[in-house]
Amino acid sequence: MTKAEQQIATSVLVIGTGGSGLRAAIELAERGIGVLVVGKRPKTDAHTTLAAGGINAALATMDAEDTWQQHAADTLTESYLLADPVTVQMVTEGAAESIRDLERYGMAFARETDGRISQRFFGAHTFRRTAFAGDYTGLELQRTLIRRTAQLAIPILDSVFVTKLLVRDNVVFGAYGFDLHNGTRYTIHSDAVILAAGGHTRIWRGTSSRRDENTGDSFRLAVEAGGRIRDPELVQFHPSGLIEPEDSAGTLVSEAARGEGGILRNDLGERFMKRYDSERMELSTRDRVALAAYTEIKEGRGTPRGGVWLDVSHLPRTQIMERLPRVYQTLMDLQLLDITTTPIEIAPTAHYSMGGVWVRPEDHSTDVEGLYAIGEASSGLHGANRLGGNSLIELLVYGRIVGRAAAAYSAHLGAQQRSHAALSAARDEVNKVLATNGPENVRFLQRALRNDMTEHAGVVRDEAGLLEGLRKLAEIETRLTDVGVHPDIAGFYDLAHAFDLKASVIAARATLEAALERRETRGCHNRSDYPQLDERLKVNLVWSGPGRIEHEAIHDIPQDISARMREVSSHGKLVE
Ligand SMILES: Cc1cc2nc3c(=O)[nH]c(=O)nc-3n(C[C@H](O)[C@H](O)[C@H](O)COP(=O)(O)OP(=O)(O)OC[C@H]3O[C@@H](n4cnc5c(N)ncnc54)[C@H](O)[C@@H]3O)c2cc1C
């Protein structure tokens, strides 16, 4: 046993200090259940803080006709019929209560002069139903939840990297990990575990997430514990991510830049949107603009660095400063580039994992007893396209539901068997990575993986490319067994990157194999060799390991919801 190993016991362990993990922890603590939250990044800087636009709930504060049923109908329409209707109902019906919870915790929502919560349009919603806090909804949400966890004295360790879930006979009994600063090992015993460790968008070169987050940890932890992944191939790409600096590749340039009159050009100076949507041009939908930019780059009309130009320099300077201050500041900070005079180089960027760990709609329990998954780590709500603003409400609603479910599970647990063998295996795995001392460099392999996914499983996919992607992935998997990890006085980040990569290769394999299996074009998933939607593929794809994919039938949509479903234009509405 490593000398500095810490052993902790709690009723429920939450892995992830983003919005979903914190919300679940609050529910548990409010019910008097012992809870410990761990995360691999500072809680004040989880991915959730990046959310800008807002949170959906049919509060009807602006449009009195709005109902949760209409919110459900809009969500199902946007999902290209791959969302689970039960999950959709749980989220949309429970949304108003989640907003009331946030009010109770003191969240500073934007309000009308009479005190009503303001709501705005956000993507393809029939009514104004997105509540917000300026342009910083995610940041305000995260601060609110952190404040509430402090009031409830919930312990949070946000420098602990979880490497393995501890399972015996398909029942979870805790997790194993290490401290990022000093390498101290942690064995955490718990009755139940809530996996809130985010998605897998960082396996692409450009991603709008935080560095070292969304590396697919939820996928690896769940699958190695005995869980499954639903719809890993369904990933939302945002049209405008920065290309440089490398560190920040994928950082979003708000769609407001196009909304204000920004023009897109390829490297030949052509305003290329006229080829793809001559009517709406730059104001076309997010998926169309992403597809157009991707096609220009792929067909050789992009910039040498693989981008296109987004130009707002023709707009009056005052308009830019008043309406796009965040874009102006971001480009100044990251590139010392003045957008009032110079175009911005952008490319489509991986933005949101719509698939995730397979969960039951009623309580987000998984295939492993005592293991739950929530937030971007989970699946079921978004199908093949996410309605803007739905992920924050999902993590709030299911944070409450899963907190209650885990509390009940813990309270009713009669006895729990642990396993020395499982614990030893977890310990040995970390020891082995530290001892290998091979010639392969983790960062280099991460880059190779991200290039592979960007090249072969980006906005547009085809069979030949996906097979080539799998071939390159197999090489990376082999080289991964020979990495050299060198923790030093600065910390154990090198070790963390090796585990990030272990997770990323599993997420990549699931994604490539499911993308190969989905021989159709639907929502975010574009197959150039199968350009039509295929009715027979109105199913979820469930991946349980290399080469193992099942087709899962989707529940019928209740009649009162289906009657409300119709295409809703997102023209002129923000959709981040
Ligand atoms: C730029 C941007 C704008 C967005 N805008 C909106 C919006 O307006 N509205 C909306 O609804 N959604 C929006 N989203 C999406 C939304 O922000 C995310 O889906 C949501 O915040 C995810 O929260 P989460 O709690 O599931 O995961 P995260 O916030 O990603 O948290 C995951 C946590 O897991 C931890 N973790 C991961 N792996 C491990 C491990 N191995 N060991 C320990 N800890 C681990 C991480 O440290 C982190 O604390 C936006 C996203 C981006 C990037």
Side-chain angles (χ1 to χ4, degrees):
M1 184 158 105
T2 313
K3 235 195 301 172
E5 194 159 309
Q6 298 283 310
Q7 192 161 312
I8 304 177
T10 181
S11 297
V12 181
L13 170 66
V14 178
I15 303 171
T17 56
S20 61
L22 296 184
R23 180 62 190 85
I26 290 168
E27 191 66 27
L28 284 152
E30 286 183 346
R31 288 167 180 273
I33 303 290
V35 55
L36 168 68
V37 189
V38 299
K40 68 175 182 178
R41 278 180 57 87
K43 59 178 183 283
T44 48
D45 198 27
H47 179 74
T48 295
T49 59
L50 294 178
I55 311 174
N56 301 334
L59 304 174
T61 58
M62 312 297 285
D63 296 313
E65 318 90 289
D66 200 10
T67 57
W68 72 259
Q69 288 89 344
Q70 189 59 54
H71 184 187
D74 292 350
T75 302
L76 286 157
T77 303
E78 186 79 347
S79 81
Y80 289 79
L81 303 181
L82 294 194
D84 170 56
V86 182
T87 305
V88 171
Q89 174 164 350
M90 303 277 291
V91 170
T92 53
E93 200 174 7
E97 187 182 344
S98 289
I99 300 291
R100 283 195 295 276
D101 287 342
L102 289 182
E103 289 189 279
R104 180 161 60 86
Y105 308 154
M107 174 136 170
F109 282 111
R111 289 181 187 270
E112 299 298 298
T113 46
D114 60 4
R116 278 172 299 151
I117 288 182
S118 302
Q119 296 198 278
R120 61 184 173 198
F121 275 123
F122 196 47
H125 291 274
T126 302
F127 297 111
R128 288 172 290 177
R129 67 166 74 97
T130 302
F132 57 97
D135 230 5
Y136 295 93
T137 307
L139 186 62
E140 171 60 14
L141 171 65
Q142 187 76 2
R143 283 181 182 155
T144 302
L145 295 177
I146 289 173
R147 215 169 38 237
R148 183 69 185 142
T149 56
Q151 285 166 358
L152 293 164
I154 296 173
I156 299 178
L157 299 173
D158 59 2
S159 62
V160 171
F161 192 115
V162 172
T163 57
K164 193 69 97 195
L165 297 178
L166 300 173
V167 177
R168 174 176 169 154
D169 299 335
N170 202 41
V171 182
V172 74
F173 66 92
Y176 188 79
F178 63 89
D179 183 272
L180 284 148
H181 302 315
N182 58 26
T184 301
R185 304 289 182 85
Y186 279 88
T187 300
I188 305 168
H189 288 121
S190 62
D191 298 341
V193 175
I194 298 175
L195 194 50
H200 71 314
T201 49
R202 196 151 260 284
I203 67 174
W204 283 268
R205 201 167 50 221
T207 164
S208 57
S209 77
R210 282 273 188 263
R211 201 165 187 227
D212 302 327
E213 285 219 291
N214 283 344
T215 42
D217 297 39
S218 306
F219 285 40
R220 186 177 87 89
L221 292 170
V223 167
E224 291 186 352
R228 297 177 293 159
I229 307 300
R230 185 192 274 136
D231 296 336
E233 79 285 11
L234 300 180
V235 174
Q236 190 168 49
F237 283 82
H238 190 286
S240 47
L242 293 181
I243 293 183
E244 285 209 307
E246 180 65 37
D247 246 19
S248 309
T251 297
L252 291 195
V253 176
S254 169
E255 294 197 75
R258 285 186 285 115
E260 287 299 315
I263 287 172
L264 286 166
R265 290 199 182 85
N266 61 22
D267 212 35
L268 307 174
E270 295 169 333
R271 202 169 161 188
F272 60 82
M273 279 310 297
K274 62 176 178 286
R275 267 198 282 281
Y276 305 90
D277 189 345
S278 57
E279 210 169 296
R280 290 179 293 181
M281 298 292 281
E282 283 82 3
L283 294 179
S284 186
T285 55
R286 178 195 300 206
D287 48 347
R288 277 193 169 206
V289 178
L291 185 57
Y294 176 86
T295 308
E296 292 297 305
I297 297 162
K298 193 83 178 163
E299 293 182 355
R301 295 184 291 277
T303 64
R305 276 190 295 232
V308 292
W309 300 105
L310 171 59
D311 193 1
V312 293
S313 64
H314 56 286
L315 300 176
R317 190 182 162 81
T318 47
Q319 184 182 347
I320 292 174
M321 301 315 270
E322 274 168 25
R323 310 282 299 196
L324 304 170
R326 225 177 157 178
V327 180
Y328 177 84
Q329 203 51 50
T330 303
L331 268 295
M332 266 295 162
D333 290 348
L334 293 178
Q335 296 183 4
L336 210 64
L337 183 138
D338 183 353
I339 62 168
T340 64
T341 58
T342 317
I344 314 163
E345 195 176 3
I346 54 150
T349 183
H351 184 49
Y352 188 85
S353 304
M354 287 170 296
V357 177
W358 183 93
V359 286
R360 293 182 186 86
E362 57 277 13
D363 61 0
H364 273 205
S365 57
T366 67
D367 297 292
V368 183
E369 215 174 296
L371 178 65
Y372 301 81
I374 42 170
E376 204 166 330
S378 66
S379 61
L381 179 68
H382 312 291
N385 214 7
R386 175 180 69 104
L387 197 55
N390 260 2
S391 42
L392 293 182
I393 197 60
E394 177 195 30
L395 64 83
L396 292 167
V397 171
Y398 273 110
R400 184 176 69 237
I401 293 171
V402 169
R404 282 179 196 174
Y409 178 84
S410 172
H412 291 107
L413 195 66
Q416 190 192 44
Q417 299 269 338
R418 295 177 184 169
S419 158
H420 288 299
L423 182 52
S424 293
R427 195 177 284 134
D428 290 349
E429 183 184 36
V430 180
N431 290 343
K432 192 171 161 211
V433 176
L434 281 169
T436 302
N437 208 14
E440 296 289 355
N441 180 288
V442 174
R443 283 298 199 196
F444 190 83
L445 291 182
Q446 270 177 335
R447 168 67 69 85
L449 180 73
R450 288 172 189 159
N451 285 342
D452 185 22
M453 293 304 288
T454 305
E455 180 80 3
H456 302 298
V459 179
V460 181
R461 298 129 182 219
D462 64 29
E463 177 149 337
L466 291 164
L467 289 172
E468 179 59 8
L470 280 165
R471 192 192 62 72
K472 289 182 185 163
L473 177 64
E475 276 175 16
I476 295 167
E477 285 166 341
T478 306
R479 292 169 65 188
L480 176 56
T481 57
D482 222 5
V483 291
V485 167
H486 309 286
D488 57 23
I489 193 151
F492 280 64
Y493 303 101
D494 221 15
L495 181 61
H497 295 150
F499 275 94
D500 282 344
L501 182 58
K502 272 169 163 282
S504 294
V505 295
I506 289 179
R509 182 161 284 284
T511 305
L512 288 164
E513 290 186 357
L516 200 56
E517 178 76 6
R518 188 170 285 290
R519 293 180 181 82
E520 65 165 348
T521 289
R522 186 188 289 263
C524 65
H525 178 71
N526 296 288
R527 282 284 301 254
S528 56
D529 47 352
Y530 293 95
Q532 305 302 329
L533 189 140
D534 184 343
E535 264 308 307
R536 290 166 303 178
L537 284 169
K538 202 185 107 204
V539 292
N540 295 126
L541 298 182
V542 182
W543 188 88
S544 52
R548 292 199 299 274
I549 295 182
E550 301 149 58
H551 289 205
E552 182 182 50
I554 296 172
H555 294 107
D556 289 336
I557 300 173
Q559 212 279 324
D560 63 326
I561 307 282
S562 64
R564 293 174 158 87
M565 288 172 67
R566 63 194 153 79
E567 282 299 321
V568 182
S569 165
S570 58
H571 185 66
K573 301 170 186 170
L574 285 178
V575 282
E576 246 108 58

